[in-house]
Amino acid sequence: MTIKVEQVSRPLGGELEVPGDKSIGHRAVIMGSVARGETRIDNMSAGADNSSTVAAFRRMGVQFRREAGTLCIEGGGWDALQAPPEVIDCGNSGTTMRLLTGLLAGRPFDTRLDGDDSLRTRPMKRVIDPLTRMGAEVTGQDGRAPLEIRGKALRGIEYVSPVASAQVKSAVLLAGLQARGETCLEEPYRSRDHTEIMARGFGASIESAGRKVVVKGGQELSGTRLRVPGDISSAAFLAVAAATIPGSDVSILSVGCNPTRSGVIEVLRAMGADIEMTRTWDEAGEPVADFRVRGGVLQGTEVQPELAPRTIDEYPVLFVAAALAEGPTLFRDVGELRFKESDRIAAMHLELSKMGVKMEVRGDDVTVEGAGELESASVESHGDHRVAMALAVAGLSTRGGIALSNEECVKVSFPGFFESLGKIGG
Ligand code: S3P
């Protein structure tokens, strides 16, 4: 389907919430499914990716039920998990596939994991390698899905990961929780630490310091009750929309602001954005805040490589912020964007250039020239939810608006995205 996004005629305004954090939601469902006792999760996103994880555990015999807005899981411990009758479809969700590979590598049965065309192109060798060293038997098609996992007794390892990836780290930790001995992982930059925080909430002990994390094997998890904070990766689209339209004043309430995720706020502030945290508190061990974003004219900046893991999903919309800013913005070392739901460098380059934006790619560095007002165009999401939402935000500042095709993929992480944009005046 195609949706028309018109240029706004007046500043954005209002107050709203975004769906529960997708990353945290996956982890809550995964751990609740192998914990002993009941787990109750509030504010679980209805996005397609989180639903893929729920469906996967349903196929392995885990009982879920909804009580008003709460997702309840009847956990029977690691050993209650049953071999699924057929292949598990992870849909579009890399987190589902990579984290389940780690978890299932240590279960005493065989599984097959598959996904959509996009997921079948994504690199799985990065999880297969460390898991194989732990004694797992995981085979793919040239390092890609479909994956076949033959469950084995695992042993702890010391692993220095070549990529700063929370999915790799989490796959190894989920295997490590079941392994004999201790597992230690070190990464080049610190990635999001939701798995560590969530596991502690379920009673496990995981030690972390800087870029290193250590877990002892043979740990049981106990069911718990938690509320998933709003997703900063979804809030980022509304924040950039508000920050780039002068005079806007938008409050986004109850958003997770874990420092391993909040690079987008730092980058926008470095560009001169007016973003205030009006209230902060903790939920499920995660820091949460209400954000107030006021619009103005942003300035180009240089985004350093160490920000990449903390900002990784927000680059598409930051490219849009840069296109609407004054002067160039240099994004350093963002090569990982090529391995997301689409090649996000190629996709954003192609689509933004249709809107008159100059974007230069040199190796893994990307420079976006501020274009001021953008040109009307017909653009395409490449089936990638974050590309679709980034382009929609660009459309709000485009004379004559844009036509965005293949927009339904926003349901992967932010069902109701267009309604939310409408609610604040888009
Ligand atoms: C995620 C980690 C990141 C991120 C993805 C979600 C997670 O991927 O891009 O959207 O929930 O662990 P990588 O681990 O590949 O960097």
Side-chain angles (χ1 to χ4, degrees):
M1 293 219 297
T2 298
I3 195 161
K4 186 97 207 288
V5 182
E6 306 281 359
Q7 182 179 30
V8 290
S9 52
R10 65 180 92 86
L12 303 179
E15 199 175 89
L16 77 179
E17 288 190 21
V18 289
D21 188 283
K22 177 161 86 71
S23 277
I24 297 174
H26 283 302
R27 286 149 171 91
V29 169
I30 290 172
M31 295 192 201
S33 295
V34 293
R36 259 185 204 287
E38 191 187 54
T39 289
R40 298 174 71 87
I41 309 171
D42 287 321
N43 202 34
M44 182 75 199
S45 161
D49 269 13
N50 278 169
S51 301
S52 292
T53 295
V54 172
F57 283 99
R58 274 215 169 98
R59 294 212 145 267
M60 292 187 275
V62 178
Q63 303 283 324
F64 292 84
R65 61 175 204 286
R66 282 253 169 213
E67 267 179 28
T70 305
L71 179 66
C72 308
I73 312 177
E74 265 335 306
W78 292 102
D79 293 332
L81 219 55
Q82 296 161 18
E86 53 209 42
V87 59
I88 291 177
D89 181 6
C90 301
N92 190 242
S93 175
T95 312
T96 306
M97 182 168 281
R98 294 199 178 108
L99 270 56
L100 284 194
T101 302
L103 186 148
L104 293 170
R107 292 294 80 220
F109 51 77
D110 299 345
T111 7
R112 275 168 60 86
L113 302 181
D114 205 352
D116 67 8
D117 289 346
S118 153
L119 189 50
R120 279 184 167 204
T121 67
R122 298 183 64 189
M124 294 298 148
K125 194 170 173 302
R126 51 179 65 191
V127 289
I128 296 174
D129 283 351
L131 293 172
T132 304
R133 286 194 40 206
M134 298 177 82
E137 209 181 304
V138 181
T139 45
Q141 320 291 312
D142 211 9
R144 293 181 159 70
L147 300 181
E148 228 160 281
I149 304 163
R150 286 183 203 289
K152 297 271 178 224
L154 305 176
R155 55 182 175 272
I157 54 164
E158 285 202 9
Y159 188 65
V160 179
S161 177
V163 276
S165 159
Q167 294 181 357
V168 171
K169 175 174 66 178
S170 304
V172 170
L173 289 176
L174 288 165
L177 279 168
Q178 308 168 67
R180 185 162 35 83
E182 202 171 79
T183 296
C184 174
L185 178 136
E186 185 177 332
E187 45 189 355
Y189 295 112
R190 189 170 180 208
S191 65
R192 63 189 69 185
D193 60 356
H194 303 309
T195 299
E196 297 89 309
I197 292 173
M198 186 66 67
R200 289 180 196 125
F202 278 87
S205 122
I206 294 193
E207 282 164 37
S208 48
R211 297 178 287 109
K212 262 195 181 172
V213 44
V214 181
V215 63
K216 280 201 180 61
Q219 297 197 52
E220 293 290 337
L221 306 179
S222 322
T224 187
R225 163 155 216 161
L226 66 116
R227 182 176 193 278
V228 180
D231 197 327
I232 190 167
S233 296
S234 299
F237 298 101
L238 308 174
V240 170
T244 51
I245 297 171
S248 296
D249 187 352
V250 172
S251 292
I252 316 165
L253 306 180
S254 192
V255 182
C257 58
N258 180 319
T260 63
R261 284 287 294 286
S262 57
V264 60
I265 306 296
E266 286 167 58
V267 175
L268 286 172
R269 281 183 174 153
M271 297 177 84
D274 178 354
I275 304 179
E276 200 187 332
M277 281 191 196
T278 52
R279 196 164 69 98
T280 55
W281 68 101
D282 254 43
E283 262 168 25
E286 296 274 352
V288 184
D290 289 341
F291 286 95
R292 181 172 183 190
V293 186
R294 277 173 274 206
V297 178
L298 302 184
Q299 307 297 320
T301 188
E302 192 170 323
V303 184
Q304 301 302 334
E306 52 275 19
L307 265 152
R310 293 195 281 133
T311 316
I312 193 70
D313 294 332
E314 286 64 72
Y315 283 114
V317 77
L318 285 173
F319 293 164
V320 171
L324 293 167
E326 281 175 351
T329 299
L330 170 60
F331 297 91
R332 291 188 47 213
D333 229 349
V334 293
E336 266 295 304
L337 293 181
R338 298 196 172 93
F339 309 113
K340 297 297 175 186
E341 287 82 329
S342 68
D343 173 343
R344 287 183 174 159
I345 295 180
M348 292 304 292
H349 191 190
L350 180 65
E351 302 310 321
L352 284 180
S353 64
K354 292 179 189 166
M355 302 171 75
V357 178
K358 285 201 184 68
M359 192 165 145
E360 192 193 357
V361 184
R362 268 199 198 174
D364 286 343
D365 293 347
V366 172
T367 304
V368 179
E369 296 290 340
E373 202 167 67
L374 309 178
E375 292 166 21
S376 179
S378 291
V379 293
E380 147 73 40
S381 71
H382 299 245
D384 182 331
H385 54 132
R386 301 206 205 278
V387 170
M389 292 187 274
L391 294 173
V393 169
L396 299 175
S397 295
T398 303
R399 188 194 290 276
I402 60 163
L404 169 63
S405 60
N406 234 331
E407 43 75 28
E408 60 283 354
C409 56
V410 304
K411 71 173 189 303
V412 161
S413 61
F414 196 167
F417 166 72
F418 292 105
E419 291 76 7
S420 291
L421 215 51
K423 200 172 157 198
I424 54 172

